[in-house]
Amino acid sequence: MNFTRWSARLPGTQRRAAARTEQTASPDRRGEGSVPAARVERLTDESPSVPAVDELRVREVLDRVPSLVALVHGPDHRIAYVNDAYTTAFGVRPLGERAREALPELDALGLFPLLDQVQRSGKPRTVKSRKAPDGRSYTFTCTPVAQGDGKGGSDGRGVLVFATDVTDHAEAAERLRASERRQRETAVTLQRSLLPQELEQPDDLRIAATYHPGGTEAAVGGDWYDVITLGGGRTALVIGDVMGRGVRAAAVMGQLRTAVRAYARLDLPPHEVLQLLDGLAAEIDANQIATCAYAIHDPNEGKLIYSSAGHLPILVRDENGTVLRADEPTGPPLGTGGWMHASGSIPLAPGSTAVLYTDGLVERRDADLDEGIAALERALAGATGTPQVVCDRLVRSAGVTPDHDDDVAVLVLQHPARTGADGELFRNAALELLGGVEAAPRARAFASGVLTSWRFPADLHDLGVLATSELVANSLQHGTPPMRLRLRRTDRRLIIEVTDGDDHLPRRRRAEPGDESGRGIAIVATIASNWGSRRTPGGGKAVWCEFALPRTQST
């Protein structure tokens, strides 16, 4: 094989050859003012000879470059040339042989389809960082070259394979990727450890949740959810998203989640919880804001009371399949300050399903956010089954995969429509207390009759009547009308609650031996499993206590 014929058609070779011809002929065309040729010869004799790049033989250049070079020609890619670097890397290669048999390293790298493509199209192609059988990584550039006669045709075309050793760069890139993977794994581990390890399961709700970290190319964010049993049958539900990435976002999320649980124990309205959380978020990190939705479910009200700090709307599917979207009020994200949050409500009747979620479930780069929420509404309308089944269906319908580019958190809750024997385990009874000296004995008689009809054992019956008497007496002494007694049983507990129009919350205190009063709340706290109080919307308060039912009663 005559390498010179092939080298004459390498890109730029003809142009440089023409330039040399023009420079050689130019002295003969000079006018009278030109420098004499003899003087040019003298200068050449006196100066050392430095050959121009165009005067170097292509083969001599390619033999000396440290990169791997091979030249193949014809439709079956027969070997025309390999340089010394190529031979050092892969051994001697016989000229004239088919490359598919004689260059197995190219076959192992999957380069033969690329050679065919370059030969057909006449355009160069590059593949980056391919690991060769020798264990090193190379970037391959395949350039078309034509035979010296320039007549074209597939038989007259070859491909110059130029491989640059990028092992150091590839190893550095792999070390960087490994470091990023470790950081991501740390963030995911931290994120998961800060989420609830086991969701609280209230008496009146069925709840499931899921969390999906972003794909390997996306840093982990600060999505979180929580379920908090408030007592008295009430439940707080939380969903949030820290607007950041990595370990820092997860750490901020953990602090906010802890703060939400602490504020929830105060049993404040949702907007007051977010107001407190807003100030704390600014103190934690003024550069990282977060969105959050906080909702409270009270089984006696049949609705969710909620407040939102820049978060996406809660969706509720009723028992007929109609999906409602929670309206305003919503405020700016946490940490921005200067905003008074407000609470709203959305119905959650028996048979309903509610969904709280983060933006990773509905936000896409190529679609409007409202379109994503509308798609979620359609998916929820047809999603039936347990909360976990609904959770999984919504995630699948949104196209969330392991390579998803954002975190996803979803919290699904159902308020079951209980009937039959199951319905007998969930009962309510209420009595309006008109005040006066007859209110206390009427309340005791009412509670005794209700607890007897609910077939409670004698000891629990007596404790319930005693707690009712003390709570009513406390309200009659310190509260104002209107007053109401409510008894509620679930499959796990008996709840007794008294509401009145005064917003002064009672506290447990130690009564002195000579005191005529002040022992009521202490008695209730002693005999009940739990007790508490809260202010009610529109003024007033509710004081409650609960008794855990024996296992035989709860089943």
Side-chain angles (χ1 to χ4, degrees), residues 117-330:
Q117 181 184 3
V118 170
Q119 193 175 62
R120 286 194 305 268
S121 67
K123 297 179 180 179
R125 293 287 187 271
T126 297
V127 292
K128 296 182 178 180
S129 193
R130 292 282 181 91
K131 196 165 187 177
D134 66 347
R136 304 192 67 78
S137 297
Y138 299 90
T139 289
F140 289 86
T141 298
C142 300
T143 304
V145 294
Q147 197 170 0
D149 56 17
K151 294 181 180 180
S154 59
D155 290 341
R157 286 194 174 181
V159 179
L160 184 70
V161 180
F162 190 90
T164 304
D165 191 333
V166 294
T167 303
D168 292 342
H169 296 286
E171 291 177 350
E174 180 55 35
R175 287 194 296 269
L176 178 60
R177 286 192 294 268
S179 175
E180 291 173 346
R181 284 194 298 269
R182 287 192 297 270
Q183 292 180 13
R184 181 179 180 279
E185 290 169 0
T186 300
V188 170
T189 301
L190 176 61
Q191 177 88 353
R192 291 194 182 280
S193 68
L194 293 174
L195 289 173
Q197 301 305 299
E198 184 176 350
L199 286 178
E200 297 181 25
Q201 294 294 331
D203 298 0
D204 295 275
L205 298 176
R206 295 173 181 165
I207 300 179
T210 186
Y211 170 73
H212 293 267
T216 54
E217 299 300 322
V220 175
D223 294 15
W224 94 91
Y225 54 81
D226 210 347
V227 179
I228 308 167
T229 301
L230 301 177
R234 291 154 49 85
T235 306
L237 305 129
V238 193
I239 192 85
D241 185 1
V242 176
M243 301 298 184
R245 289 290 184 267
V247 173
R248 179 59 182 166
V252 171
M253 177 274 287
Q255 295 177 77
L256 292 178
R257 177 175 173 255
T258 301
V260 169
R261 294 192 70 86
Y263 295 146
R265 298 305 177 192
L266 302 175
D267 210 345
L268 299 171
H271 65 275
E272 293 189 24
V273 172
L274 291 190
Q275 207 71 48
L276 293 171
L277 204 59
D278 179 56
L280 180 66
E283 295 178 10
I284 293 174
D285 190 337
N287 297 319
Q288 280 190 300
I289 60 176
T291 65
C292 181
Y294 182 92
I296 293 177
H297 174 255
D298 189 331
N300 298 309
E301 297 179 356
K303 59 185 176 181
L304 282 178
I305 308 297
Y306 69 90
S307 186
S308 174
H311 204 78
L312 300 172
I314 299 171
L315 303 181
V316 175
R317 175 188 183 273
D318 65 19
E319 59 183 349
N320 299 317
T322 302
V323 177
L324 303 176
R325 183 187 300 192
D327 296 324
E328 301 287 349
T330 184

Side-chain angles (χ1 to χ4, degrees), residues 366-409:
D366 57 349
D368 186 76
L369 180 60
D370 284 337
E371 295 178 10
I373 298 175
L376 181 61
E377 289 178 340
R378 293 191 294 271
L380 178 59
T384 58
T386 66
Q388 190 60 59
V389 170
V390 173
C391 227
D392 295 340
R393 289 187 63 178
L394 296 181
V395 169
R396 285 197 303 270
S397 70
V400 177
T401 65
D403 295 327
H404 199 61
D405 61 359
D406 195 6
D407 286 18
V408 173

Side-chain angles (χ1 to χ4, degrees), residues 206 319 349-352 415-419 422:
R206 295 173 181 165
E319 59 183 349
S352 298
H415 186 188
R418 304 182 189 275
T419 58
D422 190 32

Side-chain angles (χ1 to χ4, degrees), residues 423-439:
E424 290 296 319
L425 298 177
F426 291 80
R427 306 288 293 274
N428 288 278
L431 174 68
E432 299 296 332
L433 300 174
L434 301 179
V437 293
E438 75 281 359

